Amino acid sequence: MNSINVNVTLYGPLARIKGKRYVANFDIELEPGTHKGDLLALLGISLEERSYLFINSVLCDVPGLDSGCGEVLKDGDHIGIFSINHMWPYQYRDGIPMSENLKKALQNRGVMHHSYTVHAEKD
Amino acid sequence: MAKKVLRIDMSKLEATYENVPEKWSRWAGRALTSAIVFDEVDPTVHPLGPHNKLVIAPGWVTGSPAAPSSGRTSFGAKSPLTGGIKESNAGGLSGQKIAKLGLAAIILEGQPEKGKWYTLVVTNEGVKFEDASGLLGKGMYEIDELMWEQYPDTAVIGIGPAGEMKLSNAGISVNDMENKPGRYAGRGGLGAVMGARGVKAMVVDDTGGPGVEIVDKDLFKQGRKKLTEAIQEHDLTKKDGGLNSFGTAILINILNEAGGLPTRNFSAGQFEGAAMISGERIAEVVEERGGEGMTGHGCHPGCIIKCSNIYPGEDGSAMVSCVEYETAWALGANCGIDDLDYVAKMTYECNDAGIDTIESGNTLAIAMEGGVIEFGDAEGALRLLEEVKQGTPMGRIIGQGVEATAKAFGVHRVPTVKHQSMPAYEPRAVKGIGVTYATTPMGADHTAGYTIAPEIAGVSGKLDPLSDEGKAELSLTFQAATAFIDSTGYCLFIAFPILDIAKGWAGMAESVAGVTGMNITGDDVIPLGKEILKMERLFNERAGFTAADDRPPEFMRYEQLPPHNVVWTITDDQLDHVFAWVHDGNGAGD
């Protein structure tokens, strides 16, 4: 396969990257072997701009926390990326499916926080 | 001046002012409503009978000068929906005005002569009992307007036709700063308890009231400053943060991406039309239509979070406030409806009839599953809500809530705990909230367990929050912290910054200590919260609740939820462990 196609939705102000107001959905063609981090770089989205990131309904990132370059994307994947001002209180995500990379990152920083943009210390 | 308890006897049409007895002197807000219900209401009484009572109490700091986001009012009684103790709180104008009248609580008890209805006018001079027969059948939008024509700028606590009919899903309305009835103590049917006291409306005028005494002004100012700074620094609660920009409906797209957005009566975790009913879409509509619509709207004076909105009609005029997360989900995704204008119209109808939007949306979904109308039928759903207000036989079934409607139409997939329907987080996907749904004394309730700091919850080195076992352990501390915050008068959303920013937690405790003079620090929050929970659990036990009532709905144990295809996995033993301490003999505060 020379390329893969993934579907991306940007929520909040990030949607302006694609000329939309608050929600932008689009398909994008990528090189095989592209990582999550590569996609973010391609779209020009920094850690300071994005909050929650899902790949196929699995939570892979939370605001203020860098879980690394992450998963290799596959053909047909759906990626949902939320802007930094999105919120998801901990009690409303306690138990949802998460990537192994994110679990490791959370264990290092402390699992139970609403946001990691203001909380730098490990619990 | 010491606070008083205002006791209003609707049998004798008498009002008396009592000193706050020692046993209640530490309490306010939810703690006080639960303590009074625990002490004065026999748990076996009929919720609509003469021996139930409706208790109204502002929080500890409510009405104090410039305590941020602190205008909540707690309403408590034995619930006609759950059959257990209930506290439901609302924003709006009432809490601050009741507090400024020097009142710790108002107790409504007794019943007037059959067929008699009253408006109560509560002022610094006392209570007037006015004939309300001319108000019967009127919706809350008209009631609020009529009250302000006679008593401008007052707080109006009222019930719509659903409360008059004593329907189990009737809520209690509080007017907001625009004098609209968007602020509801919605859950648990407390509007029916108010209706059963023969009270259509209560007007509260704080003119000339003594105000709220602050025992230690320096400590209060110190706590207020810390808490205010924490709210203003946190991404969720600061100006232009998530709540301020998109309202609570910002969660629609997030829960949908996570596969945890209950859809079509909890049959799936994702809704294909989620983006169309989301907070992002609400913000787009507000910007596109202009006019009176707005995000960043405050629900009570002094709120600095401002997560409410005013949803505009096509011409830009204000249609309804507020389309929040639970409302957009219940009347939208859970009914398979992706038309935001219809969601707004249904919200208006709920506000006018005086019914809770969460229970209403769940009930409509049950009616859809039962074949009354099809999933996605927005026009049909709106018509059913209109029938509630009209009091047709169908409307009265719908107005009784999910379980009554499920029985009427032969539906076995019933998403309730303790007879109250679940809010907008699928417990098979969001396991932690499922533990709280199952075990809280309130019945399935998303506001019963807010996260607290790990070191206070005992997580560090002891529990793995990512395990099922950890979730059951954590739920108790979450519930205890929430019971405390519900008693402060602060909006529960201060829980976001006080979890992540240490000075916020200290600021909350110091501001309460400053107002009350009680020696409260952050370390006291969980023990005090457990005392409140213990009263509530014991009331429910005496009302007949057992461990079998701390369980999720059966279908969630065997029916896989797409897209993750998960079932409920928390064991009954883990659920039973959450409140095992109530009878361990170590007292409430351990």
Side-chain angles (χ1 to χ4, degrees), chain B residues 187-521:
Chain B
R187 307 230 71 190
L190 298 185
V193 180
M194 185 165 162
R197 302 315 106 204
V199 178
K200 173 71 175 173
M202 176 188 291
V203 172
V204 182
D205 182 351
D206 63 339
T207 305
V212 175
E213 183 183 15
I214 298 176
V215 174
D216 185 336
K217 290 187 174 62
D218 289 339
L219 184 60
F220 171 72
K221 284 180 186 172
Q222 175 182 303
R224 180 182 67 188
K225 182 172 184 290
K226 289 179 183 174
L227 180 57
T228 301
E229 288 175 354
I231 292 171
Q232 291 174 335
E233 289 170 13
H234 199 280
D235 282 331
L236 273 61
T237 50
K238 69 185 180 186
K239 185 169 177 4
D240 299 326
L243 282 166
N244 188 252
S245 300
F246 297 113
T248 57
I250 193 174
L251 286 169
I252 290 275
N253 284 322
I254 293 176
L255 266 296
N256 194 57
E257 284 280 355
L261 186 71
T263 298
R264 295 184 177 85
N265 192 31
F266 289 77
S267 62
Q270 285 183 324
F271 178 46
E272 69 281 2
M276 296 305 294
I277 57 169
S278 65
E280 291 89 337
R281 182 60 196 149
I282 292 170
E284 287 176 349
V285 170
V286 165
E287 291 180 19
E288 289 165 6
R289 293 180 178 175
E292 296 173 336
M294 67 182 295
T295 55
H297 174 247
C299 88
H300 65 264
C303 179
I304 61 172
I305 300 173
K306 297 184 179 178
C307 68
S308 175
N309 56 49
I310 298 176
Y311 187 83
E314 290 184 12
D315 63 355
S317 62
M319 183 191 294
V320 69
S321 177
C322 141
V323 179
E324 59 175 328
Y325 172 60
E326 300 294 336
T327 301
W329 158 76
L331 301 169
N334 202 41
C335 293
I337 293 170
D338 64 2
D339 187 322
L340 199 50
D341 283 345
Y342 267 101
V343 168
K345 287 176 188 173
M346 287 190 278
T347 305
Y348 180 97
E349 199 60 35
C350 289
N351 289 350
D352 204 37
I355 49 178
D356 174 43
T357 55
I358 297 175
E359 191 75 21
S360 295
N362 274 313
T363 304
L364 292 172
I366 290 286
M368 290 169 173
E369 182 147 337
V372 178
I373 56 176
E374 296 291 320
F375 279 108
D377 180 358
E379 191 65 46
L382 183 61
R383 190 180 66 248
L384 288 176
L385 293 176
E386 289 168 351
E387 288 201 46
V388 176
K389 191 164 66 181
Q390 293 158 2
T392 67
M394 174 64 83
R396 284 174 179 259
I397 292 172
I398 299 293
Q400 289 294 353
V402 163
E403 290 197 355
T405 303
K407 285 181 180 176
F409 297 105
V411 177
H412 72 275
R413 299 179 63 264
V414 185
T416 59
V417 178
K418 297 181 183 69
H419 315 297
Q420 178 169 284
S421 63
M422 291 182 174
Y425 308 91
E426 233 300 346
R428 285 166 288 185
V430 190
K431 293 179 183 180
I433 199 72
V435 177
T436 299
Y437 283 175
T439 59
T440 168
M442 297 297 156
D445 183 348
H446 65 293
T447 65
Y450 268 41
T451 308
I452 57 168
E455 58 273 17
I456 295 167
V459 171
S460 304
K462 295 184 194 171
L463 289 174
D464 175 9
L466 299 179
S467 71
D468 280 6
E469 187 181 44
K471 293 180 198 338
E473 290 278 344
L474 281 174
S475 182
L476 172 61
T477 51
F478 289 3
Q479 291 187 51
T482 304
F484 181 90
I485 297 173
D486 281 343
S487 306
T488 62
Y490 283 122
C491 171
L492 194 49
F493 288 175
I494 70 159
F496 305 147
I498 69 176
L499 164 61
D500 293 336
I501 303 173
K503 67 182 172 186
W505 181 262
M508 173 187 69
E510 287 168 3
S511 61
V512 171
V515 171
T516 62
M518 293 191 294
N519 183 26
I520 292 177
T521 69

Side-chain angles (χ1 to χ4, degrees), chain B residues 542-564:
Chain B
R542 292 165 189 168
F545 284 77
T546 68
D549 295 293
D550 291 337
R551 298 290 182 264
E554 184 204 6
F555 76 91
M556 291 185 175
R557 295 178 185 271
Y558 62 78
E559 189 177 291
Q560 292 189 344
L561 179 80
H564 297 297

Side-chain angles (χ1 to χ4, degrees), chain B residues 553-574:
Chain B
E554 184 204 6
F555 76 91
M556 291 185 175
R557 295 178 185 271
Y558 62 78
E559 189 177 291
Q560 292 189 344
L561 179 80
H564 297 297
N565 299 321
V566 286
V567 297
W568 175 267
T569 56
I570 310 289
T571 67
D572 290 353
D573 283 346
Q574 288 166 349

